[in-house]
Amino acid sequence: MMYKRLYFFVVAIALLWSTQGCKKFLNVSPPSANINPTSIKDFQEMLNSDSLSSCHFFLLDMMSDDLTLSDAQVSAASNFYLRSYLWSSTIWNPSDADVMYNSSYNRILQMNVILDRVNNAPNDEFNTPQNKSIVISQALINRAWYYLQLVNAYGNAYDPNTSATDPGVPLVTSAGTNSLPARASVARIYQQVIGDLKAAVNNPNLPSKGSDIIHPGKSAGYALLSRAYLYQGDFQSASNYADSTLATQSALQNYNVSTYVNPSQLPDLVSNPEILLARVSIDLAFFSFYSNTIMPSATLTSTLTTADLRYSKRFFSASRFSPATYRLTGASSMVFDNSIGVPEVMLIKAECLARSGSFAAAGALLTRLRTNRLPAALVGSRNYTASNALGFVLDERRRELFNHGGLRLFDLKRLNKEAALKQDIRRVNNAGATIATLSSGAPQYLVPFSPTVIAANPNIVQNPR
């Protein structure tokens, strides 16, 4: 009955969240006091809430090789962040709430409310075929984004040989269900995600670009299709949808320009031409545990180099007195850009080109991106060949998509299925000694379900550790 109990709570707060949404994003009238959305205008207001763009996937970055903790942080009181960082046998205390899981399903529920009710919306001035179809497409794209995140957090990387039986996450596509769903297979979640996205982008009324960064247009749907097919290893389809994305939106932000601002809140992304669908994660808990921010790992630092503007714009430089740390972007919080954007799509296209033998074309995309991320004197020229092109692309993904809501972890999981690319990752202390190791393909790559989640739905089978 968990989903049923959440239903009225989420419906009640959905429009309340809308009233707190950033005014820059409003393109419909401010919401009324209605807590029982039934009209097209109500659904537009729900989609207009910036809460849909606030997500909680930093825990996935804690599990990746993007960051490191100091000896003092490792020695501090145990918490789910530290246990995730060390890939411990137990992550959650009995009463811990998994905000990533709960908030994602709350947002999925909001989209299901819209999709369940939209065809019965009363006839009024807002209920036009165009408005109705756009509401449906945007709800489908938002739901697909969350499910693609969830299946890669709690399930194995997609494998055509096993994904039909690999457990993913509960799949709920209606707000009215009373069931406690078991975990759908990884393949079934991908089928739903891809089906929803194709239905959304095939809508002739959906504009190529959303009215603002929180309203998805076709370009966002194409980009998510490209990401989903990349994760499936269907490089031709991933390449085709990357082309569709870049045909509608391909601008890059030049980090050499002095007006570049590292985002500290959602509105900071408004002027960024790269954003296809905005997502930010504002993490409060880590800072409350440690009174400090994260540090880049040694491997991330060596891959980026301190001369890369993606490093200097996002980290305070190390000094003789302190290590490099993530730029604190709030009084007591860290803000991470988890958006899907043009650079990721360019890198998907480049990976597909490199894998198909089009090395020079892949290199041209990397050069364009690096020109906007490095001082001009450091861009240089490269000879892209069969032996190095894919490696260059994957390194650039690391540089561009670190601390990006799990994308590095998802890459590690999928690349571990290729013998030439799999790797173990280690945690080391200040003296260089290994304190934890995550072997390629280990079950610790999967986020375990918290006891509170399983207590609410006993049909969920726990991930192994």
Side-chain angles (χ1 to χ4, degrees), residues 10-223:
V10 174
V11 171
I13 65 175
L15 294 184
L16 174 61
W17 277 340
S18 295
T19 66
Q20 298 170 345
C22 178
K23 298 302 181 184
K24 292 182 180 179
F25 302 128
L26 293 179
N27 62 0
V28 294
S29 302
S32 67
N34 179 21
I35 61 170
N36 186 30
T38 57
S39 69
I40 297 298
K41 183 184 178 187
D42 292 338
F43 305 142
Q44 289 174 327
E45 290 169 352
M46 292 173 69
L47 291 164
N48 202 49
S49 170
D50 62 6
S51 69
L52 284 173
S53 290
S54 297
C55 50
H56 301 276
F57 291 99
F58 173 59
L59 190 71
L60 302 178
D61 298 323
M62 288 293 303
M63 296 168 60
S64 80
D65 58 352
D66 279 345
L67 54 83
T68 190
L69 298 184
S70 68
D71 286 359
Q73 288 172 324
V74 171
S75 300
S78 181
N79 57 71
F80 56 83
Y81 281 131
L82 177 60
R83 295 188 291 269
S84 297
Y85 173 76
L86 296 174
W87 313 298
S88 300
S89 57
T90 299
I91 300 297
W92 305 105
N93 286 330
S95 62
D96 284 341
D98 182 351
V99 178
M100 176 171 63
Y101 183 94
N102 293 338
S103 65
S104 295
Y105 276 101
N106 280 343
R107 285 150 179 75
I108 288 169
L109 175 53
Q110 292 176 57
M111 299 304 97
N112 286 344
V113 168
I114 292 173
L115 294 168
D116 280 357
R117 297 184 176 194
V118 66
N119 288 323
N120 294 318
N123 292 321
D124 57 28
E125 61 182 311
F126 294 96
N127 192 355
T128 66
Q130 180 178 15
N131 285 346
K132 178 181 173 181
S133 67
I134 291 174
V135 161
I136 292 171
S137 289
Q138 291 181 340
L140 289 172
I141 292 172
N142 276 301
R143 186 173 72 180
W145 188 89
Y146 277 101
Y147 268 127
L148 191 57
Q149 286 287 117
L150 288 169
V151 73
N152 280 285
Y154 298 93
N156 286 324
Y158 187 92
D159 185 327
N161 297 314
T162 64
S163 288
T165 54
D166 286 340
V169 291
L171 178 61
V172 185
T173 58
S174 173
T177 181
N178 291 322
S179 65
L180 295 175
R183 298 170 67 180
S185 71
V186 169
R188 179 67 186 90
I189 299 295
Y190 270 87
Q191 179 187 30
Q192 186 70 46
V193 165
I194 290 172
D196 283 353
L197 291 171
K198 286 184 175 180
V201 299
N202 287 336
N203 172 14
N205 293 316
L206 184 68
S208 295
K209 185 177 180 180
S211 57
D212 49 53
I213 61 173
I214 71 169
H215 289 86
K218 287 189 177 184
S219 58
Y222 291 143

Side-chain angles (χ1 to χ4, degrees), residues 221-279:
Y222 291 143
L224 283 170
L225 280 163
S226 186
R227 180 191 285 183
Y229 278 120
L230 178 77
Y231 290 169
Q232 284 192 319
D234 183 345
F235 301 115
Q236 186 59 60
S237 295
S239 178
N240 291 342
Y241 280 110
D243 287 339
S244 296
T245 307
L246 298 174
T248 61
Q249 194 168 342
S250 60
L252 291 173
Q253 187 176 46
N254 190 341
Y255 284 24
N256 289 282
V257 177
S258 60
T259 54
Y260 172 86
V261 176
N262 197 42
S264 62
Q265 56 181 336
L266 186 63
D268 291 335
L269 298 175
V270 170
S271 60
N272 187 336
E274 300 173 357
I275 303 299
L276 302 171
L277 180 60
R279 292 287 188 263

Side-chain angles (χ1 to χ4, degrees), residues 31 121 139 192 215 225 244 346 362 390 426 446 465:
Q192 186 70 46
H215 289 86
L225 280 163
S244 296
M346 290 176 61
L390 182 58
R426 301 182 305 135
L446 307 186
R465 295 298 289 176

